Amino acid sequence: MLTLYFSPGSCSQASLIALEESGLAFEAKKVNFADGEQRSEAFLKHNPKGRVPALLTEQGVITETPAILAYIAAIAPAARLAPLDNPFEFARLQSFNNYICSTVHVNHAHRPRGSRWADDAAALEAMKAKVPQTMSESFALIEDRMFAGPWVMGETYSVADPYLFVMTSWLPSDGVDPAKFPKAAAHHARMLERPAVQRALAREKA
Ligand SMILES: N[C@@H](CCC(=O)N[C@@H](CS)C(=O)NCC(=O)O)C(=O)O
């Protein structure tokens, strides 16, 4: 049985949606950020990074969203969540998800998690002030160059879609109007129509 450790509204939502799409049996365990549960001894045993998502498998734990998403797609081939039989297309999918992980998510984290990089109050404020710009620049690149439509990779839905969905959800709190990016905004609305997305959001609220 797979167990996903998640926190509502965080990047772990992408893995939760992918699991819902996969048809795999899994358990979802909420990590309470308000109580600092991600830094508790019990959780650090699963993920010494102190972050979600963490996916417990029978072989061990997997962390890092792109790795979890690729793993889910690989063990549930019938759900067709990645172009597993086409190395080039699979690399393109990984390229997209790694851009989200290494750049877009990190842009965002400079607002709520600036203390990872600085202690100085002025430096923290400067980092926050830059987030609308960095998120807008990343979304302009996604919108103009990376997003094929109607799904991230084109006609076929993949594990890139829930990851983009989460990033688009964060735009308003990052001071960016999603309407500035009509393809990403329409993609977000399209995602909300998917039963798997609705189930994932309901699980987060439960
Ligand atoms: N690179 C990691 C980032 C994981 C991450 O930063 N998760 C955030 C939630 S979006 C977290 O657990 N934050 C808790 C903390 O910083 O204390 C991934 O893509 O999975």
Side-chain angles (χ1 to χ4, degrees):
M1 170 73 97
L2 298 167
T3 303
L4 179 74
Y5 286 87
F6 76 99
S7 172
S10 79
C11 61
S12 58
Q13 193 178 78
S15 300
L16 193 54
I17 293 171
L19 281 168
E20 289 286 0
E21 300 275 7
S22 73
L24 296 165
F26 72 99
E27 193 183 355
K29 287 196 178 162
K30 205 176 278 190
V31 177
N32 190 337
F33 279 6
D35 294 346
E37 197 186 338
Q38 72 273 33
R39 286 182 285 276
S40 68
E41 208 179 308
F43 182 71
L44 291 175
K45 271 187 203 148
H46 297 306
N47 183 8
K49 295 172 183 168
R51 309 265 185 102
V52 296
L55 183 68
L56 258 61
T57 77
E58 283 173 8
Q59 291 160 286
V61 70
I62 304 174
T63 60
E64 300 300 327
T65 302
I68 293 173
L69 293 174
Y71 176 76
I72 293 168
I75 63 169
R80 305 179 67 82
L81 295 172
L84 299 170
D85 52 1
N86 185 327
F88 182 76
E89 287 301 313
F90 187 70
R92 280 187 60 235
L93 167 65
Q94 292 289 74
S95 171
F96 185 88
N97 281 351
N98 279 283
Y99 178 67
I100 299 276
C101 184
S102 65
T103 303
V104 187
H105 188 174
V106 176
N107 292 341
H108 159 85
H110 279 72
R111 184 179 56 75
R113 302 283 186 194
S115 59
R116 286 179 191 161
W117 296 283
D119 297 315
D120 175 66
L124 292 171
E125 283 315 306
M127 278 193 270
K128 278 187 195 168
K130 188 92 177 167
V131 172
Q133 181 194 331
T134 56
M135 286 300 268
S136 294
E137 285 170 359
S138 287
F139 264 77
L141 187 70
I142 290 170
E143 181 97 357
D144 298 341
R145 305 296 296 270
M146 298 167 85
F147 181 85
W151 304 111
V152 170
M153 301 300 295
E155 292 299 325
T156 309
Y157 181 89
S158 74
V159 286
D161 292 292
Y163 211 6
L164 176 62
F165 172 77
V166 176
M167 297 301 121
T168 310
S169 307
W170 289 351
L171 286 179
S173 67
D174 285 338
V176 179
D177 180 359
K180 275 174 55 190
F181 303 103
K183 291 182 198 166
H187 173 263
H188 192 265
R190 211 172 288 129
M191 286 292 289
L192 285 170
E193 288 169 11
R194 292 182 77 87
V197 175
Q198 292 165 9
R199 286 198 302 276
L201 297 180
R203 263 193 206 256
E204 286 193 338
K205 284 199 191 108

